[in-house]
Amino acid sequence: MDKHQLVIRKKTGLASRLRRAILLILLWLFAIYVIGINLCFIFGVYTDSLVVNYSLFNLSLHVYKLFGILIVVIGALISLYGVVHIRNLKRKAADHD
């Protein structure tokens, strides 16, 4: 059996790709906005809308630390899963040869 026949590829539809792209863009814009608000407070730029948004998001150094740890843990878990999954696929491909 040819190794290329073992890989199942599904072409993602245009609607699904657009939905994912819009979601990612919105998430990045929100993240940039929150970081921008925090940078304004760090550099002493205060406006009424910034104070309201800062209070709304309740930004603090402790929350940033928790988010950072969460991102690192999730990244490590995804990487570990990817390595295990790729090894299993390689093992299955070797068994079929």
Side-chain angles (χ1 to χ4, degrees):
M1 180 178 268
D2 187 21
K3 287 183 183 180
H4 299 291
Q5 292 175 344
L6 294 175
V7 177
I8 299 171
R9 291 192 170 104
K10 178 185 172 231
K11 188 171 183 177
T12 306
L14 180 63
S16 178
R17 285 187 286 169
L18 284 174
R19 187 174 51 244
R20 289 179 190 161
I22 290 170
L23 179 64
L24 284 174
I25 289 170
L26 289 174
L27 287 173
W28 275 110
L29 288 175
F30 179 74
I32 290 168
Y33 181 68
V34 170
I35 291 170
I37 291 171
N38 208 23
L39 287 175
C40 288
F41 268 82
I42 288 171
F43 292 117
V45 178
Y46 301 104
T47 63
D48 291 340
S49 63
L50 284 176
V51 171
V52 169
N53 287 325
Y54 189 85
S55 298
L56 177 68
F57 297 128
N58 196 14
L59 301 174
S60 69
L61 197 55
H62 179 69
V63 173
Y64 277 133
K65 182 180 175 185
L66 287 175
F67 282 144
I69 292 171
L70 183 66
I71 289 170
V72 169
V73 168
I74 289 173
L77 289 174
I78 289 171
S79 299
L80 180 66
Y81 174 78
V83 167
V84 170
H85 188 66
I86 288 173
R87 284 187 180 173
N88 286 338
L89 288 175
K90 285 182 180 179
R91 189 175 307 126
K92 285 180 184 179
D95 290 341
H96 286 295
D97 282 340

